[in-house]
Amino acid sequence: MISRLDFLRAADDSVTDSDVLRLALQHAMAELGALGGCVHMRGSGGELHLVSSAGLPAVSVRVWEVLPGDSASATARAVACDGCAWDPPGSRPTDAVVPPAGSAGRAAVPLHGARERAGEDGRKGAGESVGVLTLLTGRHSQPTPDDWWFLRQVAGWVRDRLTARPFPDPAASAPGPPLAGSADLLPAGAGELARALWNAEDAVLRVDTAWRVTAANPAARALLGHPDEAAADRVLWREPGPWQTPDAEERCRLAAARGRAVGFDAVLPATGRCHHVRVLPVSEGAVVHVMEVPPWRVRQADEVAAIRDSAERARRTAELTTALAAARTPKDVVEAVAARVLPPFAAQGLLVLVREDDRLAYIGSVGYPRAFLEHMGGPRGLPMTGRLPAERALLRDEPLFYASREEWMADNPYGDRPPSTKHAWAFLPLTASGRTFGVCVMAFDTERRLTPEERTLLLTVSALVAQALERARLSDAELTRARELQRDLLPRHLPHLREVTAVARYVPAGQGSDVGGDWYDLIPLSAGRVALVCGDVMGHGLSEAATMGRLRTATHTLAALELPPDELMGHLNDIVSDIGPDAYATCLYALYDATTGTCTVVRAGHPPPLVVHPDGRAGYPDVPDNPPLGGARPPFETAELVLPAGTLLLLYTDGLVESARRDIDEGMVALARLVEHADRGDLGRLADHLVGRLLPGGQPVTDDAALLVACLHALPRADVASWRLPDGPRAAGEARKHVREQLATWHLDELTVTTELLASELVGNVVRHAKGPIGFRLLRTGALVCEVSDASLTMPRIRRASETDEGGRGLQLVSVLAERWGSRFTSHGKTIWTEQPLTPTQDTVAAALLSLADAD
């Protein structure tokens, strides 16, 4: 539907009124699969006059010439009620027409005029119905709401095109002056004027509302082919004359229905002579005046038309140049050529082919069926053999023009037949930077011999197209490489964690847009803690994508150091500031602790997270908004949220919720509403649903969009055990005792020896080098975590002990025994932690001792 409406709206001002009606009927019939259709205009007495028809047999057209305005048919009801109307198949209003193939339904939509009328409440409504478009369908049910919408859009297009010259007010229409025969109403001297018209060389005739001839002067009778007999009661359209030319009938009917005189030129098919036809609406019909146009005027008109066509082509060439300069992709180039080159040359097909190694591949086409494109080998193309005209034009760098299928066959030594739907072609080589890399093929549905001027113009156009296509292909290749780089900088897969289940979606900007700097991340930390990150580097391009990669790497590094969120954001701010004075980025960092259910959030110029509670309530928490990175001054304000298990946390970039038609606040409201009413059982389907609804067409226009959806899980109480250890040497023994008892409870006895050694080393370090109180904790997450905390702010570090040193090997032993280890600051001091897999694959104690022996 949309493509048909776009095609109609692309029609330029040269389209005549009759073309407007014919196009509207043809596209409406094709879209609804109708059997036929017609357009009526409302007369001064309320009756409906047929002005255009398609697909109707002659008997139907005669019955539908004039319909009473108070008829019970859908056609009349649509005008009377100023709305859509439907007659199901088998209904029999007084003016019903039953096609020979059987009963048909009738769908009617009104046509409005340019005037506005006031409703009963005094407000101005739509223009008054001045006509109606009716379709005869073979359906047994009325059109769908989408069909009615399409028909109303078509009717609106007809209104816009015809009301550029406004419809007259039917109520204000006054009858035209009567013809001779009503002498009592004519002014003095009218009789002489009537006799002069009767004896003039020009043809003058009068028709009634059914277009039957009621009076004709001798010249008109001769034109009609009945010089020696009366022409009364003959239907105008069945007689010879200029009304047999294309569009003539529709123009005459439209002039009579609109109550305004209209004139046009028509060439008689039999004689080739040009006549000027003028239709003057009068009461109960119209007067038609036909005057032969002298040859000099025809030549003058041809010259004016040639000048006008040349000016129009120059205008379109200028427009094409502008469009090609703005083209970012090969698809943009093909669309620009199809819209601005095919219409002025009356071409119906376009095929753009490029050489890729030893193959000829198409990168865009218009007017060719899918079967033909598949025969061409699809986007990969066909191996080049030199047989096809397109290949010869490319290899020789010479244009080829064929005015008919016979010329194609005569110039084709290999006997390859042309496409069956085309009858004339122009093969234009595409050359840029001294290299011919492709060919542009224009095709015509009928035989067409291009003039030398047209060929020269097409060669000029092909040079413009070649330059634009070369730029677009280079730009497209650069954009593809940039997007590949961007994809490599983003996480390929999110980690599977016990604390958080998460999915992410990243949608690049629309075709032709530069890459952006949106990113997201899920970073596992120690002791059931997880960092969720979402950020956006302001601007678009490779440098912004590279900055995004730097920030993502820095975030990973800083998060691994267990820095508090506000301190981490301060370091990111320094990194962005060092890039340059114009570098800015927004970021949201959320640190979730599955052991306590708390989430510490800090944001720098970034939209706040969306929190969806387990009962489905969605809202945006009050998180302080710090300035964007690169323009902020630490310290950064944070917010601590208490989130129960099962809470959804959504982090996103502004490209998801903001667009040219929707501000960010409206988008955030829409996001919350969508989540509340969506199925939240499957996070992947939820993320796809949100992206699909917030980004119509599945792709933002000018900005990237990132979305991270995370479901938070709490660590069960049974998987956390903590103790306060005594100060002094007894602390290590107490720690080993707790390890043995707790691991026996968790059925992890195989980890007891290793964990006792780790606990002894960590607690011994605190006793020797720090100060109490000493906290000890064991956690069973996806691994076994052992933590020792104290009140000191001095962080431990590994140093290499010499052969004579009696100490200094404790942390070396810890690094060998544990899969990971580290330390972090707390509000009361620091915590040192180790992490072991729950299923060890070797004797870690023996391996650790062997490693230390090798080091010595």
Side-chain angles (χ1 to χ4, degrees):
M1 291 186 179
I2 300 300
S3 60
R4 291 188 184 278
L5 294 175
D6 289 342
F7 183 84
L8 289 175
R9 291 163 181 159
D12 57 23
D13 295 337
S14 65
V15 176
T16 63
D17 291 346
S18 57
D19 286 335
V20 168
L21 299 179
R22 184 180 298 106
L23 285 170
L25 278 176
Q26 289 173 346
H27 284 280
M29 290 169 57
E31 186 64 38
L32 271 69
L35 306 174
C38 57
V39 176
H40 287 79
M41 289 298 177
R42 189 177 185 182
S44 58
E47 72 282 357
L48 301 173
H49 297 269
L50 180 68
V51 295
S52 186
S53 65
L56 297 179
V59 61
S60 300
V61 173
R62 287 198 297 272
V63 176
W64 282 40
E65 288 278 359
V66 181
L67 301 181
D70 57 355
S71 165
S73 67
T75 303
R77 295 201 315 274
V79 177
C81 67
D82 196 19
C84 299
W86 164 252
D87 280 341
S91 59
R92 301 280 179 172
T94 56
D95 63 327
V97 176
V98 181
S103 62
R106 288 197 289 183
V109 292
L111 304 175
H112 297 108
R115 297 182 305 104
E116 289 185 333
R117 63 179 181 183
E120 294 180 357
D121 57 358
R123 293 179 300 177
K124 288 186 177 181
E128 183 176 348
S129 298
V130 296
V132 59
L133 184 151
T134 306
L135 294 183
L136 273 68
T137 72
R139 300 181 178 183
H140 292 282
S141 59
Q142 64 173 308
T144 65
D146 287 341
D147 291 337
W148 283 123
W149 176 85
F150 175 75
L151 290 178
R152 286 193 294 269
Q153 295 299 312
V154 171
W157 177 75
V158 172
R159 173 200 63 204
D160 294 340
R161 298 311 298 256
L162 298 186
T163 56
R165 298 173 290 277
F167 285 103
D169 184 350
S173 298
L179 290 182
S182 301
D184 55 329
L185 300 177
L186 295 175
E192 288 80 0
L193 178 60
R195 282 191 295 274
L197 288 175
W198 184 262
N199 295 314
E201 294 182 358
D202 297 342
V204 181
L205 54 89
R206 176 165 180 167
V207 295
D208 61 14
T209 55
W211 296 92
R212 291 188 298 269
V213 179
T214 59
N217 71 348
R221 292 202 300 268
L223 186 63
L224 294 171
H226 308 284
D228 300 326
E229 56 181 291
D233 294 330
R234 297 181 182 275
V235 178
L236 188 63
W237 319 123
R238 302 177 195 168
E239 303 301 322
W243 28 83
Q244 295 294 334
T245 58
D247 298 344
E249 180 179 347
E250 287 85 351
R251 294 189 183 196
C252 293
R253 290 182 181 277
L254 190 58
R258 294 171 66 177
R260 184 173 61 82
V262 145
F264 58 90
D265 290 341
V267 178
L268 291 180
T271 64
R273 293 179 178 178
C274 182
H275 290 72
H276 183 74
V277 181
R278 189 158 186 82
V279 182
L280 298 95
V282 297
S283 61
E284 303 302 328
V287 172
V288 182
H289 178 206
V290 183
M291 177 181 65
E292 185 173 356
V293 179
W296 65 267
R297 182 178 167 187
V298 175
R299 290 193 299 270
Q300 185 183 57
D302 291 342
E303 292 174 358
V304 171
I307 295 173
R308 184 183 300 110
D309 290 344
S310 178
E312 176 65 15
R313 287 173 182 167
R315 181 183 67 83
R316 288 182 178 271
T317 302
E319 291 180 354
L320 175 65
T321 303
T322 303
L324 292 178
R328 300 288 301 274
T329 67
K331 180 182 177 182
D332 295 339
V333 175
V334 174
E335 290 177 351
V337 175
R340 294 171 174 83
V341 178
L342 296 189
F345 288 92
Q348 291 78 33
L350 175 68
L351 190 63
V352 180
L353 306 168
V354 296
R355 182 175 185 175
E356 295 180 355
D357 298 327
D358 59 345
R359 304 182 72 86
L360 194 64
Y362 77 88
I363 60 174
S365 65
V366 173
Y368 283 90
R370 182 185 299 273
F372 173 80
L373 298 177
E374 292 176 352
H375 173 71
M376 288 289 298
R380 292 191 65 250
L382 291 173
M384 292 187 62
T385 62
R387 295 165 57 97
L388 297 176
E391 297 174 355
R392 297 203 301 274
L394 188 153
L395 295 174
R396 300 175 186 173
D397 191 18
E398 294 179 357
L400 295 176
F401 300 95
Y402 300 122
S404 65
R405 299 176 67 86
E406 289 73 18
E407 289 190 11
W408 172 301
M409 296 299 297
D411 191 52
N412 188 353
Y414 305 102
D416 290 336
R417 301 186 63 83
S420 59
T421 58
K422 306 302 178 186
H423 293 267
W425 298 265
F427 294 88
L428 310 170
L430 299 175
T431 303
S433 303
R435 182 177 65 92
T436 302
F437 62 89
V439 60
C440 178
V441 185
M442 285 179 57
F444 305 83
D445 289 347
T446 59
E447 294 185 0
R448 174 82 155 84
R449 187 170 299 280
L450 297 170
T451 66
E453 179 187 357
E454 290 175 326
R455 296 186 180 193
T456 301
L457 182 57
L458 282 179
L459 291 177
T460 302
V461 167
S462 69
L464 296 175
V465 173
Q467 296 292 338
L469 196 58
E470 184 75 359
R471 290 195 305 270
R473 296 181 73 199
L474 292 174
S475 176
D476 200 32
E478 180 181 353
L479 181 61
T480 300
R481 290 192 296 269
R483 286 184 170 169
E484 289 174 353
L485 170 64
Q486 186 183 38
R487 283 193 297 269
D488 291 341
L489 292 174
L490 289 171
R492 292 187 178 273
H493 304 286
L494 293 179
H496 297 282
L497 304 177
R498 187 180 180 188
E499 298 83 2
V500 173
T501 302
V503 298
R505 296 292 183 267
Y506 173 78
V507 185
Q511 184 69 22
S513 299
D514 287 328
V515 294
D518 294 17
W519 92 92
Y520 58 86
D521 224 327
L522 185 69
I523 307 173
L525 302 176
S526 64
R529 299 158 71 246
V530 180
L532 300 93
V533 191
C534 191
D536 182 5
V537 177
M538 296 183 184
H540 296 85
L542 276 175
S543 62
E544 283 73 14
T547 299
M548 176 267 286
R550 294 176 61 181
L551 288 178
R552 179 170 176 258
T553 302
T555 303
H556 265 270
T557 303
L558 296 171
L561 295 176
E562 305 276 0
L563 295 180
D566 56 340
E567 187 176 340
L568 180 146
M569 197 67 76
H571 287 293
L572 292 180
N573 181 69
D574 293 340
I575 292 174
V576 177
S577 299
D578 291 342
I579 293 175
D582 298 327
Y584 295 97
T586 67
C587 185
L588 188 148
Y589 184 90
L591 180 61
Y592 173 65
D593 190 338
T595 63
T596 61
T598 59
C599 184
T600 305
V601 183
V602 58
R603 65 184 180 116
H606 203 83
L610 176 62
V611 175
V612 185
H613 296 276
D615 59 4
R617 291 180 297 108
Y620 296 95
D622 185 13
V623 178
D625 187 12
N626 300 281
L629 301 178
R633 291 184 178 275
F636 286 82
E637 292 186 73
T638 64
E640 186 168 292
L641 312 176
V642 178
L643 304 177
T647 297
L648 293 185
L649 194 63
L650 277 72
L651 281 63
Y652 52 91
T653 58
D654 56 2
L656 183 70
V657 293
E658 187 178 29
S659 68
R661 295 178 295 179
R662 178 181 61 203
D663 64 34
I664 191 169
D665 292 333
E666 293 174 342
M668 291 169 59
V669 171
L671 174 62
R673 185 168 57 248
L674 286 172
V675 173
E676 287 182 336
H677 294 89
D679 180 9
R680 297 180 293 276
D682 186 326
L683 295 186
R685 292 180 59 185
L686 174 62
D688 292 336
H689 173 71
L690 297 177
V691 171
R693 293 295 300 275
L694 291 171
L695 303 177
Q699 195 174 59
V701 178
T702 58
D703 197 7
D704 295 9
L707 172 66
L708 179 65
V709 182
C711 181
L712 308 182
H713 309 296
L715 198 63
R717 291 181 179 272
D719 289 339
V720 180
S722 59
W723 303 269
R724 177 66 62 84
L725 299 179
D727 293 333
R730 291 189 307 110
E734 287 286 333
R736 290 192 294 272
K737 173 186 174 184
H738 294 316
V739 166
R740 290 191 297 271
E741 294 174 348
Q742 190 61 47
L743 293 189
T745 303
W746 286 343
H747 305 291
L748 297 175
D749 301 274
E750 66 273 16
L751 298 178
T752 301
V753 175
T754 304
T755 310
E756 282 184 318
L757 283 174
L758 290 171
S760 293
E761 288 297 332
L762 297 182
V763 173
N765 251 356
V766 171
V767 171
R768 287 190 295 271
H769 306 294
K771 57 182 178 180
I774 304 174
F776 182 59
R777 188 167 70 157
L778 294 175
L779 298 93
R780 183 175 59 176
T781 60
L784 178 63
V785 178
C786 177
E787 288 186 346
V788 175
S789 59
D790 59 63
S792 172
L793 295 179
T794 303
M795 285 293 182
R797 61 184 182 88
I798 293 181
R799 65 181 180 88
R800 187 171 185 82
S802 65
E803 295 181 0
T804 58
D805 287 342
E806 296 182 0
R809 296 177 176 82
L811 290 181
Q812 293 184 37
L813 179 64
V814 169
S815 67
V816 175
L817 290 175
E819 185 177 55
R820 291 196 310 152
W821 76 278
S823 59
R824 64 177 182 272
F825 288 110
T826 66
S827 57
H828 305 291
K830 70 173 183 298
T831 295
I832 308 173
W833 56 268
T834 65
E835 190 174 284
Q836 304 165 250
L838 295 179
T839 54
T841 57
Q842 61 176 351
D843 187 343
T844 53
V845 175
L849 295 176
L850 182 61
S851 175
L852 288 175
D854 291 342
D856 289 339

